[in-house]
């Protein structure tokens, strides 16, 4: 939520900042702004709208040279979308950008107002700038330290002081910040997509540490003021991975990235044909003496958890609960050292998931995270990490991250089943072969685009769309429905097909589209009965089945016949169909697929 970037020493700082903001735009796109040193003064240009509007405004402002500046792309929390509420914010000698929420801003504002200091915006971020300025008596680090001791909430700040040219200070709590030094100068940003065109080497600024960034170096100090040498990470992907690669939208590119992402995630964990986490340093002891598993995540990642639960319970016969992270921590959850607590997160920074993880650790559970972004907070704070190798996911709607999360959940289920002897090596090896074969089926499903585009045109004008499924197909339908509603703005819900008659069926009337996913042989007949029920109430039915399904032509308006896949593995393939459907409906409606309204990619506030 909100993208931030800072650079010092770069010849054309304004260009570096704006290009970086363009890459970070998926984190928020309500407004954008930059501040930079020019002629020994801090100048600010900001505007409502996307980074392209800022780019125009900056170029209209002329060719003033700058080598140090900060930039922000906003997802509004406190205060509406306006130029005044856009970042950067200036208070006295302090100019800052902020990602996060200052929860006690009102009390701080009251204190400042008692001193006669009034904000001009409605944002919590301006209050943070005012607090730092209020504490500033010539020593920037002391001022930042004193100010953050008064702040409650989450923040990633980049701060410039008008009397300290060519220098940026950064500090964070909760919100992510990565930094890098190259021969051209220093850089800091919310994530590496903004910096990858400059360097592949970076470090994660630890919570509470202050980074002082100049042309020549970055000095990091810990909470006690001691100099700290951060661990340098290397990213395994390049600029091409963070570009659209000829597709109209990142989402479409990322749908097509899925076979490669799956192979990159599964292959390193297949040793002699068996699931194996030794290279991840996840020993089998993590699976020993556990009597339950708790999976916690948000949104799409939580949906991957639902499929994971199905697989783990099926193969391992260990009870698994899946909880939405934002609810979990307020339920006084029961956990102990026999609980394996799994968090799933693409960004590794989702505030609710991170808070749930911290609670699980406090209560003594063993923690394992499935994370895409290396070195992210969730990855660092978990006892064990299994990284997914999707590369950067830029579209707000998650696609490839979901598929690779599924693959890791399958690997966990298989390894655990093997360790606790619920399956033999021969069976595990057979499952692994099927998992690898599924990747080819995903590739085949990518060829269904035209069919789905045609179906999408027929449902894009409807106000409500329902998804139905049973078992794995129900869990998958939850993801299909989320995908559709978040980018097409069509109201959509997923239902367990057996639940229909308990109320939901009253919503089914003439021409209401129902996407029925019926790939599971054990519940196929029951699914078909449920489809009959909606059909006889006038529903427009799109039926997704395996190739062996025998279906009466009158039962549906369209049948999507999946490539021949083992039923246990169909979610990998069916999800491509549902991703395509959501994508083409949004395109048909002329919407910005990659940047749906009101959303942001990485939700770093609770
Ligand atoms: O980064 P995370 O995986 O923790 O994000 C969790 C959700 O915000 C995310 O999956 C969201 O639901 C998707 N972007 C929706 O497509």
């Amino acid at each position: 939520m909100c993208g931030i970037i800072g650079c010092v020493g770069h010849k054309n700082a304004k260009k570096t900042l704006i290009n970086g903001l363009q890459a970070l735009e998926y984190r928020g796109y309500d407004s954008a702004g930059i501040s930079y040193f020019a002629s020994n003064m801090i100048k600010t240009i900001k505007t409502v709208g996307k980074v392209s509007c800022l780019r125009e405004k900056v170029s209209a402002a002329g060719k003033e040279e700058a080598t140090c500046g900060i930039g922000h792309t906003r997802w509004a929390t406190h205060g509406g979308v306006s130029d005044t509420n856009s970042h950067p914010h200036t208070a006295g000698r302090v100019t800052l950008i902020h990602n996060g929420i200052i929860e006690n801003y009102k009390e701080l504002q009251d204190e400042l107002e008692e001193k006669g200091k009034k904000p001009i915006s409605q944002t919590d971020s301006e209050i943070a700038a005012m607090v730092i300025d209020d504490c500033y008596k010539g020593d920037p680090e002391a001022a930042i330290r004193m100010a953050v001791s008064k702040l409650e909430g989450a923040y990633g700040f980049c701060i410039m002081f008008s009397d300290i040219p060519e220098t940026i200070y950064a500090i964070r709590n909760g919100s992510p910040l990565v930094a890098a030094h190259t021969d051209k100068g220093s850089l800091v940003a919310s994530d590496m997509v903004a910096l990858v065109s400059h360097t592949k080497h970076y470090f994660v600024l630890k919570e509470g540490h202050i980074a002082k960034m100049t042309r020549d170096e970055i000095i990091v100090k810990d909470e006690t003021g001691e100099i700290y040498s951060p661990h340098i990470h290397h990213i395994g992907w390049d600029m091409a991975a963070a570009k659209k690669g000829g597709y109209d939208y990142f989402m479409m590119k990322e749908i097509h990235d899925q076979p490669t992402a799956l192979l990159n995630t599964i292959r390193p964990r297949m040793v002699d044909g068996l699931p194996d986490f030794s290279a991840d340093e996840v020993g089998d002891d993590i699976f020993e003496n556990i009597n339950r598993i708790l999976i916690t995540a948000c949104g799409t990642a939580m949906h991957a958890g639902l499929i994971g639960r199905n697989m783990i319970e099926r193969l391992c016969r260990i009870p698994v609960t899946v909880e939405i992270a934002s609810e979990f921590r307020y339920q006084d959850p029961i956990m102990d050292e026999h609980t394996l607590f799994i968090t799933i997160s693409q960004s590794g920074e989702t505030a609710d998931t991170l808070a749930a993880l911290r609670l699980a650790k406090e209560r003594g559970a063993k923690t394992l995270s499935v994370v895409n972004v290396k070195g992210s907070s969730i990855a660092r704070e978990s006892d064990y990490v299994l990284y997914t190798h999707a590369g950067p996911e830029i579209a707000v709607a998650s696609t490839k991250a979901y598929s690779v999360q599924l693959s890791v959940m399958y690997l966990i289920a298989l390894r655990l089943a093997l360790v606790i002897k619920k399956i033999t090596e021969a069976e595990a090896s057979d499952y692994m072969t099927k998992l690898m074969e599924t990747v080819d089926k995903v590739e085949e499903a990518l060829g269904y685009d035209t069919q789905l585009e045609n179906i999408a045109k027929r449902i894009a004008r409807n106000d409500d769309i329902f998804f139905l499924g049973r078992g794995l197909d129900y869990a998958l339908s939850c993801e299909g429905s989320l995908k559709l509603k978040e980018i097409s703005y069509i109201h959509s819900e997923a239902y367990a097909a057996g639940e229909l008659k308990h109320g939901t069926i009253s919503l089914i009337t003439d021409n209401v589209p129902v996407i029925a996913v019926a790939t599971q042989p054990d519940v196929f007949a029951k699914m078909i009965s449920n489809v009959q029920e909606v059909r006889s109430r006038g529903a427009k039915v799109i039926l997704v089945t395996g190739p062996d399904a025998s279906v009466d032509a009158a039962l549906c308006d369209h049948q999507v016949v999946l490539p021949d896949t083992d039923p246990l593995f169909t979610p990998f393939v069916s999800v491509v169909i549902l991703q395509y459907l959501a994508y083409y409906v949004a395109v048909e409606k002329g919407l910005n697929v990659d940047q749906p309204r009101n959303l942001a990619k990485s939700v770093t506030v609770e």
Side-chain angles (χ1 to χ4, degrees), residues 269-278 284-285 287-288 290 311-312 314-318 409-432:
R269 278 102 185 205
M270 188 164 173
V271 177
D272 298 329
L274 294 175
D276 190 303
F277 298 136
S278 334
D284 286 341
D285 51 319
F287 298 127
E288 280 156 14
I290 55 166
M311 287 306 296
I312 296 172
R314 203 184 275 242
L315 294 178
C316 310
R317 310 307 300 153
I318 290 182
M409 294 315 293
Y410 274 62
L411 290 169
I412 291 173
L414 289 171
R415 184 73 209 172
L416 174 56
L418 194 58
V419 172
I420 61 171
K421 300 195 171 21
K422 292 283 180 194
I423 57 172
T424 61
E425 284 202 351
E427 285 166 330
S429 166
D430 187 43
Y431 281 123
M432 288 302 286

Side-chain angles (χ1 to χ4, degrees), residues 566-585:
D566 184 289
L568 267 194
F569 296 85
T570 53
F572 291 94
V573 183
S574 324
V575 78
V576 175
I577 306 302
L578 303 190
Q579 291 165 346
Y580 267 158
L581 193 69
Y583 175 89
Y584 284 117
V585 169

Side-chain angles (χ1 to χ4, degrees), residues 170-386:
I171 187 165
R172 75 180 195 98
N173 178 47
S175 310
L177 278 181
V178 293
H181 186 260
T182 72
D183 54 358
K184 293 202 181 105
S186 302
L187 293 153
V188 59
S190 307
D191 82 49
M192 275 306 285
V193 291
L195 308 187
V196 67
S197 60
H198 304 279
T199 180
K200 288 184 144 198
H201 311 300
Y202 68 101
F203 68 89
V204 177
L205 185 65
K206 287 198 169 189
E207 290 191 355
H209 287 192
I210 295 182
K212 178 186 178 190
M213 307 175 52
T214 57
R215 161 81 184 77
D216 297 328
E217 61 185 352
I218 302 180
I219 298 173
V220 180
K221 289 190 188 158
D222 68 14
E223 294 86 342
T224 65
E226 286 296 307
I227 294 197
Y228 175 84
S229 295
H231 172 74
I232 303 294
H233 296 273
H234 308 271
I235 45 166
W237 43 271
D238 54 20
M239 262 315 274
K243 292 203 154 165
K244 285 186 202 155
Y247 291 97
D248 290 342
Y249 286 102
F250 277 109
M251 182 178 173
M252 188 51 115
K253 180 205 172 242
E254 289 162 3
I255 289 173
H256 281 81
D257 281 347
Q258 289 178 114
T260 309
L262 282 166
L263 289 178
N264 289 344
T265 303
I266 301 166
R267 260 200 198 127
R269 278 102 185 205
M270 188 164 173
V271 177
D272 298 329
L274 294 175
D276 190 303
F277 298 136
S278 334
D280 301 283
E281 294 180 18
V282 175
D284 286 341
D285 51 319
I286 191 175
F287 298 127
E288 280 156 14
N289 297 319
I290 55 166
N291 56 21
R292 72 183 284 237
I293 295 177
L294 249 161
I295 301 176
T296 302
C298 300
T300 290
M302 192 275 290
H303 294 154
L306 292 177
I307 302 252
R309 171 178 67 188
N310 193 309
M311 287 306 296
I312 296 172
E313 290 195 334
R314 203 184 275 242
L315 294 178
C316 310
R317 310 307 300 153
I318 290 182
V320 183
T321 317
V322 183
E323 298 275 1
I324 295 169
S326 55
E327 285 295 305
F328 172 76
R329 53 194 293 233
Y330 301 106
Q331 291 165 359
D332 196 9
I334 304 161
M335 285 173 278
D336 60 23
E337 69 276 21
H338 302 298
T339 309
L340 175 60
F341 183 84
I342 303 179
T343 42
I344 309 175
S345 176
Q346 188 284 128
S347 61
E349 300 294 348
T350 300
D352 284 312
T353 311
L354 182 58
L357 167 68
R358 287 177 178 163
L359 181 62
K361 286 186 80 175
E362 240 172 72
R363 299 207 169 171
K366 296 183 195 180
T367 59
L368 168 68
S369 63
V370 178
V371 175
N372 197 44
V373 176
K374 266 199 183 167
S376 54
S377 304
I378 292 174
R380 280 182 291 110
E381 294 194 25
S382 302
D383 299 329
Y384 300 91
V385 191
L386 291 170

Side-chain angles (χ1 to χ4, degrees), residues 55 68 101 150 177 191 194 204 226 312 356 382 386 461 495 504 537 550 559:
R55 198 184 282 278
C68 173
I101 287 183
K150 299 175 187 221
L177 278 181
D191 82 49
V204 177
E226 286 296 307
I312 296 172
S382 302
L386 291 170
R461 304 293 153 207
Y495 279 97
T504 320
R537 280 150 183 94
S550 122
Q559 186 180 356

